[in-house]
Amino acid sequence: MKKIAIFQNELGMGGIQKSLINLLRALDYSKVSVDLYLSQKDDFWKEKLPEQVRVCYLKPTHGFFSFIPFDAARSVLKYDFLDDDYDLAVDFNSYQCSCAVGATTVGAKRRAMWIHNDVKIKLNNEWKYRVLWHFFKGKFKYYDVFVPVSAALEKPFRRMSGTDKPCTVIQNVINVSDIREKMQVTPDDVSVDSACMNFVALGRLCHQKGYDIMLEEFKKACEYRDDLRLYIIGDGPDRAALEKHRDEAGLKDKVFFLGNKTNPYCYMKLMDALLSTSRYEGQPLNIMEAMAIGLPLYCTKNLEAYTEGLRGYENISQAIAGAKKEGKHPDDLKEYNNKILESFYEL
């Protein structure tokens, strides 16, 4: 049996956190044992982890350490680990200083860092990430392998980091049985008009997810027909600005912000299609979850790079305007998930 240490900041709201929970619930614990190291006790998803997973909370790390060179932080920060003889240490977060220090100082035969985003575009788009990258880029030399969650992430990561170390693509596990169980719940806080063409979008309300683009394209589509509706699941720093954008665009009776939901699937099942206009991604969980539910996908062309087999649209407003209700065709994603687990065990 192989021993694995996984370092993640917390299990709060977010795709990285959900993908880790899905992975932990899918592993075969006759093959591996897992110690999960967390830095904070946030637990938005309220998902019960397998009993075989030992959870350890590292002592709090001051934010100051994210703004000094990584080697300096690594030489100062000392953590108490549950074990010091792992076969694999994983920095699943790839952003937090504490996760990197843990994964590179715990005793392990091999060290891996997950890559969840297109770092070239992220560096161009987010000044805060540029600052963090400046200080933590010294950590890359300590890892043996890098794990992008889609093939499109490898080239930009190599270019920006300068590393020539191995990369192994391992996509995000999708817990289809959990999705289908939660779909059976009937939400009591939303009423969807079945006579309309109802789109759903979900994800953090931030610049990366491109909701400002979505609202503009949806507005264009609404000029051609009056029966379009959009339900947005999620929250984030841009919510107030996006609600103002919606109101100024005259879409208050067509676009609805539902906030964060621990069970988005019972809302998704009520919809006719998924809409996504992200500026960039790692590998979009929302698209894969929509496939498990059987929702038709209306995504911008750039997202094809991050999701195998996806057909995006060059003109998304035109696609929305021409959308028709279709039958749902759920995908059990069995082959997809099996491939992911095989790749993980091979690490």
Side-chain angles (χ1 to χ4, degrees):
M1 180 179 290
K2 301 297 183 180
K3 296 194 297 183
I4 304 170
I6 299 179
F7 293 83
Q8 163 61 21
N9 190 46
E10 33 69 27
L11 297 179
M13 177 66 188
I16 294 174
Q17 293 84 344
K18 188 62 184 294
S19 66
L20 175 56
I21 293 168
N22 287 347
L23 174 63
L24 291 173
R25 294 179 71 181
L27 290 174
D28 181 349
Y29 290 96
S30 69
K31 295 181 178 180
V32 297
S33 66
V34 174
D35 290 345
L36 174 62
Y37 291 93
L38 301 172
S39 303
Q40 299 178 32
K41 294 190 176 181
D42 296 19
D43 186 14
F44 173 81
W45 296 105
K46 309 297 182 187
E47 298 280 3
K48 186 176 181 181
L49 297 177
E51 61 182 14
Q52 297 94 332
V53 177
R54 295 195 302 175
V55 179
C56 176
Y57 290 96
L58 302 176
K59 65 182 180 181
T61 302
H62 196 283
F64 161 80
F65 288 100
S66 294
F67 300 98
I68 64 174
F70 179 74
D71 284 335
R74 187 175 182 272
S75 67
V76 173
L77 293 173
K78 305 297 180 184
Y79 298 123
D80 294 323
F81 302 114
L82 295 173
D83 203 333
D84 208 42
D85 183 26
Y86 292 101
D87 293 288
L88 177 68
V90 173
D91 174 0
F92 199 83
N93 185 280
S94 79
Y95 301 114
Q96 293 290 334
C97 178
S98 60
C99 296
V101 171
T104 62
T105 59
V106 71
K109 297 181 179 68
R110 205 160 187 235
R111 307 178 196 278
M113 188 185 90
W114 255 240
I115 303 165
H116 296 282
N117 262 306
D118 188 320
V119 297
K120 184 176 185 296
I121 300 178
K122 192 173 181 69
L123 284 166
N124 289 336
N125 277 263
E126 300 180 27
W127 69 267
K128 290 182 180 179
Y129 186 65
R130 290 197 294 274
V131 173
L132 289 173
W133 181 279
H134 172 75
F135 290 110
F136 72 45
K137 61 186 178 183
K139 69 184 179 182
F140 301 135
K141 62 180 175 287
Y142 294 105
Y143 295 97
D144 300 294
V145 61
F146 296 96
V147 182
V149 296
S150 66
L153 306 187
E154 179 178 349
K155 186 175 179 180
F157 175 73
R158 287 194 183 282
R159 179 176 177 183
M160 304 312 294
S161 67
T163 186
D164 59 358
K165 291 184 177 180
C167 283
T168 298
V169 175
I170 300 180
Q171 299 179 92
N172 294 309
V173 171
I174 304 300
N175 192 330
V176 178
S177 61
D178 183 62
I179 290 172
R180 294 185 178 168
E181 179 181 341
K182 291 178 177 177
M183 283 172 58
Q184 304 310 310
V185 176
T186 300
D188 57 8
D189 59 345
V190 66
S191 178
V192 175
D193 186 349
S194 60
C196 294
M197 182 67 197
N198 298 295
F199 289 86
V200 64
L202 64 158
R204 190 163 185 260
L205 305 186
C206 62
H207 178 76
Q208 174 186 346
K209 301 301 181 179
Y211 287 106
D212 54 329
I213 298 171
M214 184 180 295
L215 290 174
E216 283 301 306
E217 297 298 325
F218 198 76
K219 177 185 176 181
K220 293 176 187 176
C222 288
E223 293 172 0
Y224 293 93
R225 54 191 289 189
D226 195 48
D227 66 336
L228 298 174
R229 301 291 183 270
L230 172 60
Y231 296 83
I232 298 175
I233 300 172
D235 213 332
D238 292 355
R239 179 163 181 169
L242 290 168
E243 289 182 330
K244 182 180 179 182
H245 188 159
R246 172 199 63 184
D247 296 349
E248 291 177 348
L251 297 173
K252 195 170 184 177
D253 62 339
K254 300 180 185 299
V255 177
F256 309 95
F257 289 85
L258 304 184
N260 284 334
K261 302 294 181 185
T262 55
N263 177 8
Y265 315 117
C266 63
Y267 297 87
M268 293 171 72
K269 74 173 182 182
L270 302 176
M271 307 301 170
D272 300 307
L274 175 90
L275 180 59
S276 182
T277 58
S278 292
R279 287 180 166 86
Y280 60 97
E281 281 289 352
Q283 189 220 1
L285 281 180
N286 58 349
I287 291 176
M288 301 307 299
E289 291 171 341
M291 290 172 63
I293 293 170
L295 287 176
L297 306 173
Y298 287 76
C299 306
T300 45
K301 193 74 174 176
N302 64 305
L303 295 179
E304 289 180 349
Y306 309 108
T307 307
E308 291 182 14
L310 177 68
R311 182 178 72 86
Y313 292 93
E314 292 282 5
N315 189 329
I316 194 69
S317 63
Q318 187 179 74
I320 296 168
K324 297 179 181 179
K325 289 178 180 286
E326 305 174 34
K328 292 184 174 73
H329 301 286
D331 189 333
D332 65 12
L333 299 176
K334 185 175 181 180
E335 183 178 342
Y336 164 89
N337 280 327
N338 286 341
K339 181 179 178 181
I340 292 169
L341 293 173
E342 288 173 7
S343 298
F344 183 83
Y345 297 138
E346 286 176 5
L347 280 182

